[in-house]
Amino acid sequence: MFTRPEYRNAGFEGTITNTFREGVRVAGRLYKFLAFSNSSLKEGRFLFFHEPTDGSATVESIRIWMGDFSHIRCPARYAARMAQALSSTIPTIDMEGNQVAMHCPDVKRNGYTFSDGVGTVSPDLADAIWDSLRAGRTHVAVHQTKEREAATPSAFQIRFGGAKGMISVDLNLHGRRMRLRKSMIKFEAPNCTILEIAGHALSWRNAYLNRQIILILEDLGVPAKVFLDIQRDCIRELQLMQTDQHKVLDMAGNIGHFGNFVRMIATVGVVNWMQNEFIQASLDHVRLYFLKEIKYRARMKIPDGAWTLFGVLDETGTLKEGEVFVQLFDPDSPSDNKILKGPVMVFRSPCLHPGDCQPATAVEVPALHHLRNVVVFSQNG
């Protein structure tokens, strides 16, 4: 917008530049620009910091404490790495130096890095991480069961100092041990010893289409009628939300805190809660939100047999090229384990290139049965 003469004359660019360079004064205090996270950048929010008069903490000292970014010469990457330190995570346990093996070699073949961003963790440490998460109660919803709380996830999405990525349970590691590969370490951060969790593979999530995936699948030969049928079914389900209590409870996991509120009301046995004026008005807003998502983003649930899972590496080397191992596990019904077999389609998100959507063959591998609710990829190819 700064290319227009009226904006250049008004000094908008200079004002914004000076704000970042010199800071902004609020209520007599000077706040200096510190950094931003990836999520806050999308919303136009930045983090400013008021330096105490005693000099105990400054913007520069905080950046130095975050880690060593001196080797990063690209401004965009520099900002992204600093944003990594500001990710929304849950702190768990304080790791000791002898419990973490840093800079482990990656699995590389034929010019490809098969272990990019994937490390391993021992079963004992995985249990300790899960116990810490459960003790914090930051992720537990009102519908959790004893079976769900007792099941330890087989993979975690982590932030550990300057390292990020996935760690999966490795039965060959004993005690409290964690192995981080070179591809996971983006910068050195010796001051950060707390293992932080960004996500875990306790259960699977529903998979959704979007414009990117639809365009690629159409290019690969999927008829447009398939997507139109899915769209009609999604709109029909949204219409049922106003009258069908079971449909509302099924969709509760996708509507944030209001979904938890609905589950709580149903659990305590409130009579005729669907007829409540507040509930009906809230459901109207939820339905309109999902219709907007369908209209502008083509975000539609893929019916019957599609899941969103974390990806990890086959550390045993058993899987052949083009094979994957997928075991679906419901913590609320441990006996309903399901291991996929046969042809499957795997796509990543964001899906920007036709190569991001790949056919594969799901096989059963007994040596990988400890990995649940993840996609295990081969290290051969």
Side-chain angles (χ1 to χ4, degrees):
M1 71 177 181
F2 301 123
T3 58
R4 296 176 61 179
E6 58 267 34
Y7 288 147
R8 287 203 305 268
N9 295 336
F12 278 88
E13 184 174 5
T15 300
I16 293 176
T17 301
N18 289 336
T19 299
F20 283 111
R21 287 180 176 175
E22 308 298 333
V24 59
R25 191 170 295 276
V26 179
R29 285 187 170 187
L30 179 64
Y31 291 84
K32 294 184 178 180
F33 171 70
L34 176 61
F36 55 82
S37 66
N38 292 328
S39 59
S40 67
L41 181 63
K42 295 177 182 177
E43 301 175 2
R45 295 185 289 109
F46 303 89
L47 182 62
F48 286 75
F49 177 73
H50 170 65
E51 299 177 343
T53 55
D54 60 1
S56 58
T58 65
V59 168
E60 193 57 35
S61 67
I62 293 175
R63 289 173 180 164
I64 293 174
W65 181 87
M66 284 181 179
D68 180 14
F69 307 100
S70 59
H71 65 286
I72 304 175
R73 311 311 302 173
C74 174
R77 181 169 296 178
Y78 185 95
R81 295 296 175 244
M82 194 171 294
Q84 177 182 324
L86 301 174
S87 301
S88 298
T89 55
I90 303 173
T92 55
I93 57 180
D94 194 351
M95 301 293 295
E96 299 178 5
N98 59 357
Q99 295 177 334
V100 184
M102 304 286 285
H103 298 279
C104 295
D106 281 287
V107 179
K108 297 183 178 181
R109 291 192 182 91
N110 303 322
Y112 296 98
T113 303
F114 290 88
S115 60
D116 188 17
V118 181
T120 56
V121 63
S122 65
D124 290 344
L125 182 55
D127 289 338
I129 295 171
W130 186 237
D131 289 341
S132 178
L133 284 173
R134 286 193 296 141
R137 293 295 187 192
T138 54
H139 73 295
V140 178
V142 295
H143 67 293
Q144 299 284 39
T145 63
K146 292 182 179 180
E147 292 79 6
R148 176 178 287 266
E149 291 190 22
T152 299
S154 58
F156 298 89
Q157 186 180 26
I158 68 161
R159 302 288 187 271
F160 181 68
K164 61 179 291 190
M166 295 294 302
I167 53 173
S168 60
V169 172
D170 186 351
L171 299 181
N172 294 321
L173 295 179
H174 304 286
R176 290 194 173 190
R177 300 283 297 171
M178 181 171 66
R179 298 175 68 250
L180 303 181
R181 290 189 166 96
K182 290 182 179 179
S183 60
M184 302 177 66
I185 301 172
K186 309 304 179 182
F187 59 90
E188 298 296 335
N191 296 318
C192 302
T193 59
I194 302 293
L195 181 62
E196 302 177 17
I197 304 300
H200 53 73
L202 175 64
S203 58
W204 47 266
R205 294 178 297 160
N206 294 320
Y208 288 82
L209 292 171
N210 56 44
R211 290 192 181 277
Q212 302 165 348
I213 300 169
I214 291 174
L215 288 174
I216 290 177
L217 291 178
E218 280 190 324
D219 289 341
L220 295 176
V222 178
K225 182 180 182 301
V226 174
F227 305 112
L228 292 173
D229 290 341
I230 294 176
Q231 184 184 60
R232 279 190 288 267
D233 292 340
C234 288
I235 294 175
R236 190 178 299 113
E237 283 193 354
L238 290 176
Q239 292 172 343
L240 293 174
M241 285 182 61
Q242 299 298 116
T243 56
D244 191 336
Q245 176 177 327
H246 298 290
K247 182 60 64 177
V248 174
L249 293 174
D250 287 341
M251 300 184 65
N254 301 320
I255 50 181
H257 294 297
F258 178 70
N260 293 336
F261 172 69
V262 166
R263 278 192 291 248
M264 181 183 67
I265 290 180
T267 301
V268 299
V270 176
V271 180
N272 296 327
W273 59 270
M274 280 287 291
Q275 281 70 48
N276 181 272
E277 184 179 348
F278 170 76
I279 296 291
Q280 284 294 316
S282 300
L283 289 176
D284 279 337
H285 286 289
V286 169
R287 184 172 60 85
L288 291 175
Y289 171 78
F290 281 118
L291 287 173
K292 184 178 178 180
E293 290 285 283
I294 293 174
K295 180 178 179 180
Y296 294 106
R297 295 178 54 196
R299 188 177 188 271
M300 300 174 291
K301 179 182 174 182
I302 304 176
D304 301 329
W307 307 271
T308 298
L309 305 168
F310 288 112
V312 298
L313 180 70
D314 171 22
E315 301 289 345
T316 67
T318 306
L319 293 174
K320 300 177 182 178
E321 181 180 2
E323 291 183 342
V324 296
F325 173 79
V326 180
Q327 179 181 199
L328 300 174
F329 173 78
D330 185 354
D332 295 327
S333 302
S335 60
D336 293 339
N337 268 22
K338 179 180 180 181
I339 296 178
L340 301 187
K341 299 178 183 178
V344 295
M345 181 69 72
V346 182
F347 61 86
R348 64 186 294 272
S349 183
C351 197
L352 305 175
H353 185 273
D356 293 335
C357 187
Q358 293 282 344
T361 302
V363 298
E364 180 175 1
V365 180
L368 300 176
H369 278 194
H370 63 285
L371 297 175
R372 302 171 300 190
N373 296 326
V374 293
V375 182
V376 185
F377 292 100
S378 172
Q379 58 173 268
N380 300 303

